[in-house]
Amino acid sequence: MSLKLIHIFGRLLAICPEAISRALAVVLGGIIFALPTKRRRTVLANLHHAFPEMAEAERRRIARTSCCRAVEMALFVLVSPHFSKDQLLERFAIEPAFEQELNENARSPEPAVAIVPHLCLMESLTLLPALTNGPCPEIATIYRPLKQRSLEDWVLATRQRFGMRLLSRKEGFAEAIHRLRQREVVAILFDQNAGNTGVLSTFLGRVCSSTELPGMLASKFDARFVTVWTERTGFWRGVLRMEELPKPQSANHGIFLSNQWFEQKLRTEESFRNEWLWLHDRWRTQDQVERRFQLKHRRYALDEELDWREWEELPRGMRIWIRLPNWLGDVIMALPLVRALRVGRPDAEITLVARKQFRPLLDSLPFADQTRYYDSKDIGHLRARGNEWRLGYPDVQILFTNSAREDLAAKAIGAPQRFGILRSGKPRPLLTHDWPVPEGLDEASIHQTELWRQFLGHFGLTVAPDFSPLSLEDITGRDGERLKAAGRIGLICGTENEPAKRWPVSHWRALIDRMPDKTFVLFGTPNDRAITEQVADGFDSSRVVNRAGETNLAEFAEELTSCAALATNDTGGMHLANALGVPVVVVFGPTNPVRTGPCYSGPKRLIQPPECPATGGGMISDVTPERVSEALEEVMRGDSYD
């Protein structure tokens, strides 16, 4: 909009009945709120992050009001230059105590730094010199200059007409120092994203970038530290107020004081919640895609703030949702990456999204804050799930899955950033960002966890995966020591898929015969029961106990920890035992141990058929019971770690 059109439009609104402007603010604000745009999600997400305990209906009411107030503010900027001084003084007043402070400061000058929140009628603060009946100190405010020269001149003329001096952010720092030395007042807007030049701190429970300028100036010149704002009393009407804060001892101390003050106002006073511009995303400083999973900034005050606020850890305000794989073994292998994310983004609330069958496994994990489960792959169900879960307002979603269905669900949930792996010939248009598997990388030659590490590293994760075993309490939430029964060996004789991965029943029976002094427990799913019955047939039931199909996931984990070792096919239970630190002997045939072998640091032996390539492809029946029994004896003695 050209300057001439701005003048014309502002003039028309100034001479029209105020009811027209009020209606315009309500209509345009309602449109901003109603349209399904990124702006709308931003304001709703910001409110949900700030007030998660508040009812959704109340957050939406605040969001709509804030959108209307943003329009009211914009209209006031256009109209106020066309109001006379008397018209403005009819609309705005100054709190008596504030006026008295101004008069006393004018008579006995004292340097002061005034921090200003970006509320609806903040433009009215330029009226301060005109509102007081007594003397007023010299006041200057630092502002962001406009690129268009004609608009810049217009802004300066309209905002300075009552005596307040505007100092350009680019050139006004030196003058601000000069004015404080002259015992004058400098005002600074403090509650917006300061970008790469700011200091990493927290606001309303989330990491943000804050300007250090107010605290730096106040501490350097031992200046009073005050907050100044306009309390809205009606459309284009308000009362200017002031509140004094402790003098900051440093630039960072000023950040902590100002953020804490404003947090308290937003949490306790409805007027502040309604008037603040939630459309602005103050927390965008750490959302750069290439470093999303690390906390990195030029200026970093988080450790200092932890001490100042007496927090033990950072609040977990940024929300990462992780869509875990569909198979038990893959879920177990993904957990070291989840641990790394916990370390890389200690400010993140981590939510695991998985099939409901994994609830007993995931609910108690100490490095996840929330879990969400689903039980259907139906497209309609996925959309419904997404529409329901979108009210959780995640900031980023990681998809370890590689399916169009799950991409569709993620799109419906609506995280602004959705990350996944892109393979040749499998486009994923519903992701916002992807990591293409590098050309020439042979996935068969690296472990699955290494592929995921590179994937997350592409988005900034620098923390190495933690492959140390989990405790039983980590997995099940049950507090108990792992009790290894003497000579008790677990066997997993089946698999959920691929019969070729199963070591023959005759080999399992021969293994039991070769170890007559050991007790064996057969594990598996209900579908494995037919196999385990064949393995157990004819053996004393006190020595060969068939538990296939009789344990849920938590019970399975607990019983695994009672085993001195586990002999198993390449299956999900093997990964669970390995994650719990149970010594495992794994029989491979057609599958690839390089890619899907046990990854935790517990004792393990991986056995392949003679002359089988390292990446698999052999006949599993060629692995003899003798080799497996010898490996079991070795891992139980603790002298074999592959």
Side-chain angles (χ1 to χ4, degrees), residues 273-492:
R273 291 194 294 272
N274 288 334
E275 310 311 322
W276 198 45
L277 302 184
W278 295 95
L279 284 164
H280 293 308
D281 193 355
R282 186 179 177 187
W283 299 273
R284 289 197 59 190
T285 182
Q286 293 296 297
D287 67 350
Q288 299 95 327
V289 171
E290 67 278 4
R291 54 184 188 182
R292 195 56 161 115
F293 300 132
Q294 58 181 271
L295 277 178
K296 186 177 182 180
H297 203 70
R298 290 170 58 189
R299 295 183 174 91
Y300 190 95
L302 294 176
D303 293 336
E304 184 181 345
E305 185 172 5
L306 284 173
D307 292 337
W308 185 80
R309 290 189 184 251
E310 298 182 344
W311 288 342
E312 293 185 0
E313 60 182 12
L314 284 173
R316 295 177 181 178
M318 195 272 278
R319 295 172 181 171
I320 298 176
W321 284 24
I322 303 173
R323 174 56 171 94
L324 291 173
N326 289 323
W327 299 100
L328 175 60
D330 292 336
V331 169
I332 297 296
M333 288 191 291
L335 295 183
L337 282 303
V338 178
R339 276 174 157 177
L341 288 165
R342 167 86 289 148
V343 177
R345 285 303 300 254
D347 64 317
E349 176 190 80
I350 293 179
T351 296
L352 303 180
V353 179
R355 297 166 70 179
K356 70 174 184 178
Q357 68 198 63
F358 299 128
R359 181 186 295 274
L361 168 66
L362 302 177
D363 271 353
S364 300
L365 291 176
F367 41 85
D369 301 289
Q370 294 189 37
T371 50
R372 291 176 180 255
Y373 302 100
Y374 71 96
D375 59 1
S376 174
K377 296 182 179 180
D378 177 75
I379 293 296
H381 175 84
L382 289 173
R383 287 200 185 99
R385 184 226 303 174
N387 291 332
E388 176 187 353
W389 287 1
R390 71 183 300 117
L391 297 181
Y393 299 103
D395 299 302
V396 57
Q397 186 164 1
I398 300 167
L399 289 101
F400 283 116
T401 52
N402 188 22
S403 73
R405 285 192 303 268
E406 286 305 313
D407 290 357
L408 178 64
K411 171 69 174 176
I413 291 169
Q417 296 175 331
R418 301 182 296 278
F419 302 155
I421 297 175
L422 186 65
R423 292 179 171 84
S424 178
K426 296 182 179 180
R428 304 183 70 178
L430 299 181
L431 299 177
T432 61
H433 303 85
D434 56 57
W435 174 65
V437 176
E439 187 175 348
L441 175 65
D442 180 9
E443 292 188 48
S445 66
I446 62 172
H447 198 271
Q448 179 66 61
T449 56
E450 171 59 19
L451 185 77
W452 286 335
R453 186 199 64 78
Q454 293 186 34
F455 159 47
L456 297 180
H458 180 72
F459 299 107
L461 183 66
T462 58
V463 178
D466 180 1
F467 294 109
S468 59
L470 305 168
S471 69
L472 179 64
E473 188 174 2
D474 288 337
I475 292 289
T476 68
R478 303 185 188 190
D479 186 12
E481 296 183 2
R482 188 175 116 197
L483 301 175
K484 294 183 182 178
R488 180 181 168 105
I489 297 174
L491 305 180
I492 300 179

Side-chain angles (χ1 to χ4, degrees), residues 504-525:
V505 169
S506 59
H507 288 37
W508 289 113
R509 290 177 61 83
L511 174 65
I512 296 171
D513 281 331
R514 287 187 61 83
M515 307 179 78
D517 59 332
K518 306 297 183 184
T519 299
F520 294 87
V521 183
L522 311 185
F523 298 112
T525 67

Side-chain angles (χ1 to χ4, degrees), residues 40 69 86 89 131 278 286 338 344 403 416 444 512 539 571 623:
R40 180 178 187 272
R69 297 289 191 265
D86 289 340
L89 295 183
L131 287 172
W278 295 95
Q286 293 296 297
V338 178
S403 73
I512 296 171
F539 288 109
T571 188
V623 175

